[in-house]
Every structure is written in C-alpha cells, then in structure tokens.
C-alpha cells in the first residue's frame, strides 16, 4: 500500500504507474529504448543487471518484476553463468549504490572483460532507468505485494508484447 493519500487505495506500484500513465510513460519509453535496442547485451543480461540494481536499492516490488521477467525468460535460478557478465553486475551494483565512486578503473575492468564503450554506456543508462523505478517504488512505500506467479505472468506478457511500453499500454486499457 502506498504512503501517499492520492494512491493509498492502490495495491501495487504498477497500479500507481498506470493510474498516472501520462506522467510515467516517458520513463517506460526510456526503459524500452535501453532494453530493446541492438547491443552486445541480451535482454536477459539486461534483466540480470536490472535485478542487481533493484537488489542494491532494496526495491522489493522491482526485484519481483525483474525476477519474474528472468523466470519468464527461462532463467530458473537467476544466477549468472558467464564470466563476462560478472564484472557488469559488480559495476551496476556500485553505480546504483555509490555512483560518485565510479572510477576509470571500473571502466577498464569492463573493457578488459570484453565490453565496448557503447555497451558500457548502455549499462550506465540502464542502471539509471532502473534506479528511477526503484526510488519511485520505495518512495511510495511498495513492497513485493504480488505473488511470484503474477510477476512471472507479467514478465511473460512483456516478452510476448515485445517490450515494456506495449505491456504497459495493455495495462492502461
């Protein structure tokens, strides 16, 4: 339940976004732009990064969303198998928690792992977008109030719709 009077009757964070969809659609479009564009990162890797960021920010509702997306994608245990993504997750965690402490060495580590500068920019943008959602969710006071199955259904719907904006528009209707 939301801490705010105007949204106190909403059951979850997604309802707040849908209720005021004109306000929040640009953030959804930004997220879609970051997750749907061509990149070295797969959508699944982007969701792994998103989950790492939401964990770093303690955003329970968003953790549920990203976990549901990963389960819908077939990532049963949400563990990273590839060595190449591990430094990305460490960087995403640091950026989410202490962005003022990011250093040239952090970027060198990502390059050494095989990521190019455009992908590093994509990671920075994704961490920023997910942090916006995490802060909103935490600020409103939402916890993971939906069952895991619902988060997975939402993830499956997002995959089938081809992105977050299309799924969001279906919730608006």
């Amino acid at each position: 339940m939301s801490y705010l009077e105007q949204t106190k009757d909403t059951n979850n964070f997604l309802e707040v976004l849908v209720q005021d969809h004109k306000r929040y659609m640009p953030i959804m479009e930004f997220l879609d732009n970051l997750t749907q564009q061509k990149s070295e990162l797969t959508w699944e890797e982007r969701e792994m990064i998103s989950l790492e960021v939401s964990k770093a920010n303690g955003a329970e509702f968003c953790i549920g969303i990203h976990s549901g997306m990963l389960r819908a994608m077939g990532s049963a245990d949400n563990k990273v198998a590839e060595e190449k993504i591990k430094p990305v997750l460490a960087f995403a965690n640091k950026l989410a928690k202490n962005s003022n402490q990011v250093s040239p060495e952090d970027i060198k580590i990502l390059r050494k792992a095989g990521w190019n500068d455009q992908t590093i920019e994509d990671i920075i943008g994704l961490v920023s977008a997910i942090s916006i959602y995490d802060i909103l969710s935490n600020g409103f006071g939402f916890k993971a109030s939906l069952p895991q199955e619902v988060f997975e259904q939402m993830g499956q719907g997002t995959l089938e719709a081809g992105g977050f904006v299309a799924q969001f528009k279906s919730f608006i209707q």
Side-chain angles (χ1 to χ4, degrees), residues 2 6-7 27 51 64 69 77 88 106 108 114 128-130 133 135 157 165 173:
S2 176
Q6 72 263 27
T7 54
I27 304 168
L51 178 59
M69 280 292 294
D77 61 358
V88 170
D106 294 313
K108 286 179 190 175
S128 301
I130 297 304
Y133 283 108
I135 292 166
V165 170
Q173 298 168 358

Side-chain angles (χ1 to χ4, degrees), residues 34-173:
L34 293 167
T35 59
Q36 301 304 309
Q37 67 181 322
K38 288 193 176 239
S39 172
E40 287 183 290
L41 296 166
T42 65
W43 194 355
E44 184 176 12
E45 289 168 330
R46 294 173 212 210
E47 281 303 317
M48 290 176 183
I49 294 165
S50 298
L51 178 59
E52 185 68 27
V53 172
S54 291
K55 285 180 178 179
N57 290 325
E60 292 178 25
F61 189 87
C62 296
I63 290 168
I65 292 284
H66 303 304
S67 295
M69 280 292 294
L70 285 165
R71 282 191 303 279
M73 290 174 165
S75 293
D77 61 358
N78 298 340
K79 298 289 182 194
V80 179
E82 295 182 38
E83 289 296 316
K84 190 175 179 183
I85 196 74
K86 287 182 181 180
V88 170
L89 297 179
F91 175 74
N93 187 292
K94 181 177 184 177
L95 187 59
K97 287 182 178 177
N98 301 300
S99 62
N100 65 330
Q101 294 179 9
V102 170
S103 69
E105 185 59 32
D106 294 313
I107 304 304
K108 286 179 190 175
I109 290 169
L110 294 174
R111 287 180 183 139
K112 186 176 179 185
W115 301 104
N116 68 39
D117 280 13
Q118 181 58 60
T119 301
I120 296 168
E121 181 180 333
D122 294 345
I123 295 164
I124 294 166
L126 182 59
V127 170
S128 301
I130 297 304
S131 292
I132 291 170
Y133 283 108
D134 294 344
I135 292 166
L136 285 168
S137 179
N138 286 340
F140 278 110
F142 288 104
K143 307 299 180 208
S145 60
L146 299 174
Q148 286 185 356
E149 300 80 38
V150 173
F151 285 125
E152 189 171 339
Q153 289 171 354
M154 290 167 55
Q156 188 61 44
T158 302
L159 291 174
E160 290 170 3
F164 297 101
V165 170
Q167 179 70 341
F168 188 61
K169 286 181 178 178
S170 75
F171 288 132
I172 293 168
Q173 298 168 358

